[in-house]
Amino acid sequence: LPPRRARTPPLVKTGSGRSSGARPPKSFPGPPGQRPPHMAALVLARGGSKGIPLKNIKPLAGLPLIGWVLRAAIDSGVFQSVWVSTDHDEIEKVAKKFGVKVHRRSAEVSKDTSSSLETIQEFLRCHNEIDIIGHIQATSPCLHPGDLIKVSKMIREDGYDSVFSVVRRHLFRWSEIKKGVNKVTTPQNLDPAKRPRRQDWDGELYENGSFYFAKKNLIEKNYLQGGKVIYYEMCAECSVDIDIDIDWPIAEQRVLRYGYLGKEMKLLVCSIDGWLTNGHSCLSEDQKEISSGDRGADGISLLKKRGVEVWLISEKECSKAISALKLDCEVKVSVTHKRQVIEDWRNKMSLSWKEVAYLGYEESDVDCLREAGMSGVPADACAAAQKAAGYICKSNGGHGAIQEFAEYVCLLMKTVNL
């Protein structure tokens, strides 16, 4: 049996939001020159929902629900491709924002009665290059890249044909008595005369629905679990299934405490055009003090304590205005091409785009928002910037957006142990 995993997963860097997640596998023990089996992550996200409309893209702790598992899949680095199977335009847009591929499923497998297996089989018929499917449930947002890395090894190196996730529960079961039947219940997994303490009982394993990995030949025979099959035990804290037993506020608390919260950032760039240098100015008429109450300085200070550089950029000549803010940041004004300036900064600091967070506002920020490892905009940003951003602040520009985005960046930089 696989070893029980520690509660804290390995630290793996987050994708930029543009990659399809298509990366070579970490290892392949086959003969030299032979291509490794193509393993694809597949998230099924139908538009219809009996409970919450478009639940799969409803924001959960700052990200669309589906985004939590997509990010884990991409960051694991074990999939040659990452896919979302959907029948809905809005879900497709969200999936593409995360940089993954989209399979538009047919109406035949988009019904309330359609099974996951039928939907996966249709997907495989359309993509013959795929040899292994990692079916990941969108409703399990506490999945970590470390889980997927270990399961990939079980499939690729240990020779298993299928692996599925379970959780250990310490629950005592009793037989069910139907209404109107004059019978007594009986214990199913305990002796009431010797009722064990929790610490003296190993409990039982239950599917938690987080993922099902299987080779193509099994799926074609109508199996997701079969052949040389084994389970992978996830910790109870990460076994969150919104479909079954948890509501949205509780799920947000669980995700923020136990979910995969990302990676280290090295640089935050704030484009201050559109809200700090014009009609939403934070300066008094004499340009000597902040008057709007924006807590940008607090947010910048918060990030600096975490070792993140914070730099400001503007297309306008606004040196005096920025100087009056006393934010202790490197500033670049009168910029013609924002992306080129950031490219120069990245090269100077030897950073990848994945290590850059970007807070934008206008259409001129769209390219940078798409490239950055983390991207955000104030609530009143233009539509194009909002569409390109990964996070939309609740606060408007000049009214707390820097502070809010800084806190969000710090949240996603929560340290986890290898």
Side-chain angles (χ1 to χ4, degrees):
L1 299 182
R4 295 188 67 180
R5 59 184 294 276
R7 186 177 69 82
T8 52
L11 174 62
V12 186
K13 290 189 175 181
T14 305
S16 67
R18 298 178 302 107
S19 167
S20 69
R23 307 177 186 179
K26 293 183 179 295
S27 60
F28 173 59
Q34 181 177 333
R35 80 166 179 89
H38 184 130
M39 185 161 67
L42 178 63
V43 180
L44 306 183
R46 190 168 64 94
S49 174
K50 293 181 179 179
I52 305 172
L54 289 179
K55 172 183 59 185
N56 290 314
I57 57 174
K58 179 180 176 179
L60 177 74
L63 285 180
L65 174 61
I66 197 173
W68 289 96
V69 295
L70 290 178
R71 190 170 62 183
I74 293 170
D75 289 4
S76 71
V78 300
F79 299 104
Q80 280 89 346
S81 58
V82 179
W83 294 80
V84 169
S85 169
T86 188
D87 60 337
H88 199 280
D89 292 343
E90 290 303 314
I91 295 176
E92 178 176 359
K93 290 178 183 177
V94 170
K96 288 182 175 179
K97 182 181 287 189
F98 279 88
V100 305
K101 299 181 179 181
V102 174
H103 170 76
R104 288 302 293 239
R105 64 171 71 177
S106 68
E108 286 73 20
V109 295
S110 300
K111 305 172 185 176
D112 287 342
T113 56
S114 300
S115 70
S116 296
L117 182 60
E118 292 171 334
T119 309
I120 295 169
Q121 288 172 332
E122 181 197 72
F123 171 80
L124 283 174
R125 287 194 293 270
C126 297
H127 303 284
N128 293 324
E129 75 280 7
I130 295 172
D131 305 298
I132 304 168
I133 286 289
H135 166 38
I136 300 173
Q137 300 269 38
T139 53
S140 299
C142 284
L143 180 65
H144 285 260
D147 298 316
L148 301 173
I149 291 169
K150 292 174 183 177
V151 173
S152 171
K153 179 180 180 297
M154 296 165 74
I155 289 277
R156 291 189 182 279
E157 299 180 28
D158 299 341
Y160 289 102
D161 298 311
S162 57
V163 184
F164 60 97
S165 58
V166 300
V167 63
R168 189 173 298 272
R169 301 292 190 197
H170 291 77
L171 302 173
F172 296 129
R173 292 182 289 107
W174 292 77
S175 62
E176 181 179 358
I177 305 300
K178 300 295 184 182
K179 290 183 178 180
V181 177
N182 187 18
K183 294 178 66 176
V184 297
T185 186
T186 56
Q188 300 295 295
N189 62 347
L190 80 152
D191 179 355
K194 299 178 181 179
R195 189 180 180 93
R197 299 181 305 165
R198 180 185 177 93
Q199 60 266 38
D200 297 330
W201 181 44
D202 289 337
E204 296 180 329
L205 297 176
Y206 293 82
E207 290 185 25
N208 69 355
S210 187
F211 56 77
Y212 299 84
F213 280 61
K215 293 181 178 177
K216 181 178 182 178
N217 64 321
L218 270 179
I219 297 171
E220 290 175 338
K221 296 175 183 176
N222 296 324
Y223 290 98
L224 275 176
Q225 297 154 295
K228 186 180 177 182
V229 59
I230 190 67
Y231 62 79
Y232 175 84
E233 185 177 350
M234 291 177 62
C235 65
E237 294 89 344
C238 293
S239 295
V240 174
D241 189 341
I242 291 176
D243 262 344
I244 295 176
D245 59 358
I246 201 162
D247 62 24
W248 218 259
I250 296 175
E252 289 191 325
Q253 294 175 21
R254 290 279 295 275
V255 167
L256 293 178
R257 184 170 182 181
Y258 300 114
Y260 170 59
L261 298 176
K263 55 139 184 194
E264 295 297 319
M265 283 288 159
K266 301 295 176 59
L267 173 65
L268 168 63
V269 179
C270 291
S271 174
I272 57 176
D273 292 328
W275 56 277
L276 198 60
T277 59
N278 60 15
H280 290 283
S281 176
C282 291
L283 301 179
S284 60
E285 292 182 0
D286 59 4
Q287 293 190 338
K288 289 184 178 179
E289 61 183 21
I290 299 176
S291 60
S292 75
D294 189 281
R295 296 161 58 206
D298 293 340
I300 289 171
S301 176
L302 180 68
L303 288 171
K304 283 181 172 290
K305 289 179 180 177
R306 294 292 302 269
V308 180
E309 292 287 337
V310 182
W311 293 353
L312 306 181
I313 190 170
S314 174
E315 293 177 326
K316 302 175 175 61
E317 171 46 60
C318 52
S319 301
K320 290 183 178 180
I322 295 174
S323 177
L325 294 174
K326 299 179 181 179
L327 295 178
D328 188 28
C329 298
E330 186 162 337
V331 178
K332 187 78 171 179
V333 298
S334 302
V335 172
T336 304
H337 301 291
K338 293 179 180 177
R339 178 170 175 170
Q340 185 56 56
V341 170
I342 298 175
E343 292 283 6
D344 294 340
W345 283 346
R346 285 200 313 105
N347 293 332
K348 177 181 177 182
M349 297 177 68
S350 299
L351 301 179
S352 67
W353 271 105
K354 295 177 183 179
E355 297 171 295
V356 177
Y358 192 89
L359 182 64
Y361 187 90
E362 298 185 318
E363 282 197 39
S364 59
D365 297 312
V366 167
D367 284 348
C368 298
L369 288 167
R370 287 174 176 166
E371 291 283 356
M374 293 183 196
S375 59
V377 293
D380 56 344
C382 75
Q386 290 195 20
K387 184 177 180 180
Y391 180 80
I392 300 176
C393 297
K394 297 181 178 66
S395 308
N396 287 343
H399 297 277
I402 291 181
Q403 174 72 16
E404 181 180 342
F405 189 61
E407 290 175 349
Y408 179 69
V409 171
C410 286
L411 170 69
L412 297 189
M413 285 174 57
K414 180 179 178 182
T415 302
V416 292
N417 298 321
L418 183 62

